[in-house]
Amino acid sequence: MGNNDFFTVTYKILSYLKYCYENGINPDPNILNADTFNISKVQFGRTLQMLSEHGYISGVRFTQAKIEGTVVGGLHNTSITVEGLQYLAENSMMKKAYRIFKEVRDWLPGF
């Protein structure tokens, strides 16, 4: 499993949003962005869109751009849902990724 495959990026995003939820803070767009996860803006947008469509996150606004596809805006109100928390707890692939990354602090600056 690579550092920028879907499941790893999903785990990182949901973990960061879980951290924000547990600490009563809004997500920081300087952290919640494509560069932090070492992926393209297109992959980041598509990943957030899939997470939103499956009910794992809420509060993300999407617009369509002709050239790049999905554009993400308004991440300040993004939050993890009960389904997202459950996904983190139950998904064994995510647990394996957690062992690889150990803590959010290992891969997110500013903690």
Side-chain angles (χ1 to χ4, degrees):
M1 184 165 27
N3 286 340
N4 64 352
D5 71 21
F6 174 79
F7 294 106
T8 303
V9 171
T10 293
Y11 182 80
K12 289 177 180 181
I13 291 170
L14 292 178
S15 292
Y16 174 65
L17 293 174
K18 180 179 182 255
Y19 172 86
C20 292
Y21 162 75
E22 290 173 343
N23 290 282
I25 58 175
N26 289 326
D28 182 345
N30 294 318
I31 294 174
L32 190 58
N33 64 53
D35 293 335
T36 299
F37 304 105
N38 198 30
I39 58 175
S40 70
K41 290 180 182 178
V42 172
Q43 182 182 355
F44 181 68
R46 288 179 180 165
T47 301
L48 288 181
Q49 191 167 25
M50 285 188 271
L51 293 175
S52 179
E53 288 171 356
H54 283 86
Y56 298 136
I57 63 173
S58 65
V60 182
R61 288 182 311 177
F62 300 98
T63 57
Q64 294 294 67
K66 291 181 182 179
I67 296 175
E68 289 191 30
T70 302
V71 177
V72 179
L75 294 172
H76 288 70
N77 293 322
T78 302
S79 61
I80 192 166
T81 63
V82 170
E83 291 82 3
L85 292 168
Q86 193 170 17
Y87 181 85
L88 282 176
E90 292 178 355
N91 194 309
S92 65
M93 190 176 295
M94 295 302 100
K95 289 179 184 178
K96 289 177 187 175
Y98 180 75
R99 288 185 206 115
I100 293 169
F101 295 106
K102 295 179 186 171
E103 293 182 7
V104 172
R105 291 182 184 99
D106 290 346
W107 43 262
L108 285 178
F111 282 87

